[in-house]
Amino acid sequence: MNNDFMIEVSDLTKRYAGHTAVSGLSFTVGRGEIVGLLGPNGAGKSTTMRILSCYMPATSGTVRVAGMDVFTDADEVRRRIGYMPENNPLHPEMRVREYLKFRARLKGMARKHSRERVDVVTEQCGLTDVSKKIIGHLSKGYRQRVGLADALVHEPDLIILDEPTIGLDPNQIRSVRQLIKDLGRTHTVLISTHILPEVEMMCNRVLILHKGKIVVADSPDNLQKLMSGSSQIIAEIAAPQDELRACWEQFAEIEYYDLSPTEGEFHRCALTPRNGMDLRPQIFALARERGWILRELTRNRYSLEDIYVRVTHPDEEGEEG
Ligand code: ATP
């Protein structure tokens, strides 16, 4: 057992009636990390989160939260986790404050303490103005906040959020995202999402899940560096095509090139440097030296989306079991 880890998952497998949703999954999440769980539909994100939150047993493998086993110490683990499931089932007929108090009591909190905590999370989640409203009358953004307040009310160390911004409009996404970011300062957070910029903005680390297995685990920055090993430089230059070809062929640092005419004398040159080198200064100097007009010189930086698409192959449909 390592005290620095909030989550330790080892060789986790979950089978549903013959279909394997999660297969031999192993990963750790350090205390204070904000980790994004990414993956196409059916990759096994919700299944993993449900097992971590003691909502469902695994078929095999071990999962520890704050050093405790989710199977043998489920009650203690539940106290440490604030879980917001996908399509959070709230009680639509209850008022916000009444619901949060009810949930706090259900989680075993004493009456006085639960009232104090409801006050804190109501304020923290921006629910003060709607605390007397009926949940069913709230917008989806506010209902998500109620779900978050519910997940936080018992002061968990670890927050697990399954697609918390799904179905929200851009303004609501922004405010819920900010709220999660703020929570990340004092909690460990595991969040699943389909919105890739969200992960780049909020997470220290990304786990990409594909067909029940982790295919990538790294920080968004490292992933970009990894991808820049195969980055591309685009140069749009006015010069005779044969001269351009001869030039790129002699350029030792360029591994591949592709030329296409654009307008007039201009050609679009897509250049792949060896080892992802940034050759823009050399290309600029070369164009000046030869008297060529250079009207564009850019370096393609790969995004998390490129990485995601590359590792999850979108042409393969997710398997439904
Ligand atoms: P999404 O992004 O669509 O929510 P996900 O990554 O969360 O997908 P899971 O919901 O964990 O994926 O599902 C993983 C696989 O397990 C899918 O093939 C799904 O059909 C299957 N599955 C999930 N829940 C059950 C269940 N209760 N019974 C049978 N199969 C299930």
Side-chain angles (χ1 to χ4, degrees):
M1 186 181 99
N2 184 329
N3 269 337
D4 295 338
F5 292 134
M6 179 58 86
I7 303 175
E8 297 169 83
V9 173
S10 174
D11 208 14
L12 177 69
T13 293
K14 175 72 188 180
R15 282 190 210 97
Y16 295 110
H19 170 74
T20 305
V22 170
S23 171
L25 213 64
S26 297
F27 65 91
T28 53
V29 174
R31 285 178 192 271
E33 273 196 296
I34 306 185
V35 173
L37 200 55
L38 288 178
N41 293 123
K45 305 179 295 294
S46 300
T47 299
T48 306
M49 290 183 146
R50 278 185 216 129
I51 296 170
L52 282 173
S53 314
C54 313
Y55 272 74
M56 188 167 71
T59 307
S60 62
T62 55
V63 178
R64 288 181 169 276
V65 170
M68 286 167 295
D69 191 292
V70 297
F71 313 115
T72 54
D73 293 320
D75 286 344
E76 196 49 43
V77 168
R78 278 196 194 100
R79 272 194 273 280
R80 308 291 180 104
I81 294 184
Y83 171 51
M84 186 164 104
E86 200 179 0
N87 308 317
N88 199 9
L90 304 167
H91 285 259
E93 72 291 349
M94 288 179 92
R95 294 180 194 276
V96 173
R97 188 174 169 76
E98 178 193 7
Y99 172 75
L100 291 174
K101 275 200 293 194
F102 159 73
R103 291 288 299 162
R105 297 285 288 145
L106 209 63
K107 292 177 190 196
M109 296 170 72
R111 194 175 298 277
K112 183 169 177 291
H113 188 217
S114 68
R115 267 202 305 266
E116 286 162 8
R117 280 297 300 161
V118 167
D119 287 343
V120 171
V121 294
T122 300
E123 165 84 34
Q124 195 174 10
C125 297
L127 290 166
T128 311
D129 293 347
V130 297
S131 69
K132 294 200 176 81
K133 290 209 167 155
I134 290 172
I135 292 173
H137 296 172
L138 296 177
S139 68
K140 175 117 171 90
Y142 272 105
R143 285 203 299 266
Q144 286 297 78
R145 285 160 181 268
V146 176
L148 267 174
D150 173 4
L152 292 173
V153 75
H154 57 298
E155 297 186 277
D157 300 322
L158 169 64
I159 306 169
I160 297 185
L161 308 170
D162 198 351
E163 307 212 18
T165 56
I166 200 164
L168 302 185
D169 74 34
N171 289 328
Q172 293 168 334
I173 287 180
R174 205 176 253 220
S175 66
V176 169
R177 218 178 256 169
Q178 187 57 45
L179 186 57
I180 296 169
K181 231 170 149 177
D182 292 344
L183 290 172
R185 296 203 189 101
T186 45
H187 297 77
T188 308
V189 182
L190 181 68
I191 171 173
S192 80
T193 176
H194 280 125
I195 306 171
L196 301 182
E198 191 156 284
V199 174
E200 280 170 321
M201 254 177 259
M202 298 199 300
C203 301
N204 319 110
R205 211 146 55 85
V206 185
L207 305 174
I208 302 182
L209 216 61
H210 184 42
K211 295 186 173 173
K213 292 184 191 296
I214 290 181
V215 286
V216 166
D218 215 329
S219 68
D221 276 0
N222 277 347
L223 288 175
Q224 258 196 6
K225 280 186 205 139
L226 215 84
M227 289 292 284
S228 69
S230 52
S231 73
Q232 226 183 25
I233 292 171
I234 303 295
E236 208 174 321
I237 299 176
Q241 199 176 112
D242 52 345
E243 280 185 36
L244 278 171
R245 281 191 191 283
C247 170
W248 303 138
E249 260 157 41
Q250 283 158 23
F251 210 126
E253 289 88 355
I254 290 176
E255 196 162 12
Y256 309 108
Y257 70 89
D258 181 57
L259 274 190
S260 49
T262 50
E263 351 162 56
E265 276 248 279
F266 280 97
H267 289 85
R268 183 179 182 278
C269 309
L271 310 166
T272 306
R274 286 184 203 285
N275 310 319
M277 291 165 76
D278 185 0
L279 298 177
R280 284 174 301 177
Q282 289 93 318
I283 293 165
F284 179 77
L286 189 120
R288 197 173 48 184
E289 196 183 290
R290 305 219 175 177
W292 291 342
I293 298 168
L294 177 68
R295 72 172 180 189
E296 188 191 327
L297 185 59
T298 47
R299 185 169 181 231
N300 280 348
R301 302 252 315 152
Y302 287 96
S303 66
L304 188 58
E305 187 173 328
D306 298 312
I307 299 163
Y308 177 89
V309 169
R310 190 180 276 197
V311 298
T312 59
H313 314 296
D315 37 357
E316 290 174 29
E317 276 297 301
E319 285 166 18
E320 288 300 308

